[in-house]
Amino acid sequence: MSERPVLLLVDGWPLSFCRHVIRRDDVDLVLLRFAAHRALFPDSYLDETAHLPAFWVRDDVPLAEEVARYHDMTARIGRRPTFFCNPSEPAQEIAHDFARRAGLPHLTEQQVRWVRNKAAMKDRFRELGLATADHRVVATTAEVKEFGRSHGWPVVVKPVDSFACIDTFLVRDDRDVDRLDLAPARSWMVEEYVGGQEWENCALVLDGAVLDVWPSAMPARPLSIVDGAINANISLGSGEGPDVDLRGLTQRIVTGMGLDHGYLHMEFFVDRGRVLVGEVGLRLAGCEIPANHGHAYGFDVFAATLDVYLGRRPDLAYRSRRCVGDLLLPLPESGRVNHITGEEELLAMPGVIEAVLRHGPGDVVTARRMSHNSAGYAHVAGESAEEVERRMRQVLDRFRIDIEPVGPPAVAAR
């Protein structure tokens, strides 16, 4: 058996954090993958990780049997994980159920509901004395109309387990409601639209204590992003941030939900001096938000995150203070890429410190209505959020992607 820590890592798709962990030589890994998510794995990534033991959970077999098969595999390879990390939002329920059955650190079923089910989450916020949007679980458009008429338009309609704004809609009036399709197979909710400025906050938690917090500004709200607004997040290592006790607010949630360790990501609003908590997740933030914090504060954010999942106090000695954001490059339609602005051209622009393209000429791409839909991303640095946003808009003015239709018109996922 290895003397190094052995981690069971939920591998949902090629996240930057996962790529960091698989390159580490001081921890042994077993990857946990779900057959139902196979389409998310590019063949190139499977080749890149082929040297690591991976356990695929079949979706047509009882989970107890899969856990027994997992124990057989880890005994056979002499690598028994004692630590567990799930960076994936959609895998929360099954991943933590698997970890519980396997005898690994995990969230309880109630904790998973608090950090995954947005209606239960907001109910818990209220129990903790925190302000949040009025909301209601609904099953019909008539219930949405009733809520909108009593609370005022617009309202937001979403599945209780949505993420990345998938199937999330801003509904302005009765006519908008009539265009909704509330699939009965999912649980839906409606909530009041909150004004003011929306912010993000990330934190690392160890032994139930918030170690530090990193706020982010958003040039545009997620619901505007899916309709074509600038898609970016800016980590505020310098300059002005929200006038909120973020460490205290985050600790209140961590304590109230009994969260022991992990990476926490949350969204909140400041409206005329009033703070309203939006949502919270105990997993890595989406897009390249964690990397923003590393660039902004001058530390290895992924190493620090791995540390808390291994029960170790991370090194949070910051070597710089600046603002750095991730600008997601537009992917406006589905089809075949004929031309795309190259990484070298992007890197030559003011403030751009990193540029990554997910697609190149000849690739067939699919545009989707989700907040992380993109052709790639650029990390942009500056002394203030305003300077970063200005430089991001210059990048958008320069960036070009030419896509031609392939076959019948592609249907973008809602």
Side-chain angles (χ1 to χ4, degrees):
M1 299 289 288
S2 171
E3 295 180 358
R4 296 185 297 189
V6 185
L7 175 73
L8 181 64
L9 175 68
V10 177
D11 191 25
W13 51 78
L15 295 171
S16 295
F17 172 71
C18 293
R19 291 187 182 279
H20 169 91
V21 176
I22 65 176
R23 291 194 298 265
R24 293 284 290 262
D25 59 6
D26 59 343
V27 59
D28 288 332
L29 293 178
V30 175
L31 303 179
L32 184 65
R33 294 168 171 166
F34 298 96
H37 301 161
R38 172 62 181 82
L40 298 174
F41 292 87
D43 290 340
S44 58
Y45 181 69
L46 293 177
D47 291 341
E48 181 183 345
T49 57
H51 64 290
L52 294 171
F55 183 83
W56 287 87
V57 179
R58 298 169 294 185
D59 55 2
D60 57 350
V61 178
L63 195 58
E65 294 183 19
E66 291 298 84
V67 171
R69 189 168 64 88
Y70 157 81
H71 283 311
D72 289 342
M73 186 199 87
T74 57
R76 185 174 65 254
I77 65 175
R79 187 176 289 190
R80 285 189 179 275
T82 54
F83 300 98
F84 175 72
C85 174
N86 171 44
S88 168
E89 173 75 8
Q92 286 280 28
E93 291 94 336
I94 189 171
H96 285 282
D97 190 9
F98 187 98
R100 176 182 62 82
R101 293 169 184 265
L104 293 167
H106 62 279
L107 296 177
T108 67
E109 185 176 348
Q110 179 62 76
Q111 288 171 321
V112 169
R113 277 182 55 79
W114 284 336
V115 300
R116 179 78 171 113
N117 182 303
K118 299 183 188 305
M121 179 190 302
K122 291 177 185 293
D123 290 342
R124 186 57 177 164
F125 290 156
R126 290 282 174 86
E127 292 169 356
L128 297 176
L130 300 173
T132 191
D134 285 343
H135 61 281
R136 175 183 174 186
V137 175
V138 296
T140 67
T141 54
E143 292 174 306
V144 175
K145 289 180 179 180
E146 179 185 341
F147 184 93
R149 291 165 183 165
S150 63
H151 286 75
W153 305 100
V155 297
V156 178
V157 177
K158 66 181 80 170
V160 299
D161 62 350
S162 181
F163 72 104
C165 285
I166 299 172
D167 293 329
T168 299
F169 300 96
L170 182 65
V171 180
R172 294 175 175 81
D173 51 34
D174 282 11
R175 289 171 296 179
D176 268 0
V177 176
D178 290 334
R179 289 190 279 268
L180 291 175
D181 179 17
L182 303 185
R186 303 190 73 178
S187 180
W188 296 83
M189 65 181 290
V190 58
E191 63 183 24
E192 65 175 336
Y193 179 81
V194 178
Q197 186 167 359
E198 185 171 0
W199 301 85
E200 297 170 315
N201 180 51
C202 294
L204 285 183
V205 179
L206 182 64
D207 295 331
V210 174
L211 302 181
D212 208 352
V213 294
W214 309 303
S216 295
M218 291 182 286
R221 289 189 173 198
L223 273 177
S224 299
I225 288 170
V226 295
D227 289 330
I230 182 174
N231 192 349
N233 313 272
I234 303 172
S235 181
L236 303 172
S238 64
E240 293 186 8
D243 185 18
V244 177
D245 176 12
L246 285 182
R247 186 189 288 267
L249 175 62
T250 308
Q251 185 66 64
R252 193 167 173 181
I253 293 171
V254 167
T255 301
M257 293 186 174
L259 305 176
D260 178 73
H261 67 278
Y263 186 112
L264 182 143
H265 176 70
M266 62 182 288
E267 297 160 2
F268 65 98
F269 302 84
V270 180
D271 185 17
R272 292 165 292 186
R274 186 181 183 215
V275 179
L276 294 94
V277 184
E279 298 175 359
V280 66
L282 194 70
R283 41 76 181 166
L284 270 81
C287 304
E288 292 296 316
I289 296 172
N292 291 342
H293 301 319
H295 289 304
Y297 294 84
F299 78 114
D300 192 334
V301 64
F302 295 131
T305 300
L306 178 60
D307 279 342
V308 299
Y309 283 101
L310 296 177
R312 305 188 298 215
R313 179 167 288 274
D315 178 9
L316 297 182
Y318 304 143
R319 296 181 298 278
S320 66
R321 291 279 186 170
R322 57 180 176 169
C323 292
V324 178
D326 62 318
L327 170 68
L328 272 64
L329 302 170
L331 182 64
E333 56 188 329
S334 301
R336 179 176 287 107
V337 177
N338 284 333
H339 169 78
I340 187 169
T341 302
E343 293 176 357
E344 289 187 4
E345 184 175 350
L346 295 172
L347 286 168
M349 297 193 65
V352 178
I353 59 175
E354 184 177 10
V356 175
L357 297 179
R358 295 192 175 97
H359 308 293
D363 290 349
V364 175
V365 299
T366 302
R368 295 181 172 88
R369 188 183 183 277
M370 58 176 63
S371 61
H372 56 262
N373 176 68
S374 71
Y377 61 87
H379 283 296
V380 182
E383 291 305 310
S384 66
E386 292 76 15
E387 181 177 49
V388 171
E389 181 178 345
R390 183 170 63 253
R391 289 173 167 179
M392 286 176 166
R393 293 188 183 277
Q394 292 172 350
V395 172
L396 290 177
D397 288 342
R398 178 80 62 87
F399 179 76
R400 294 288 182 271
I401 182 169
D402 177 28
I403 300 173
E404 65 174 358
V406 178
V411 178
R414 293 185 60 192

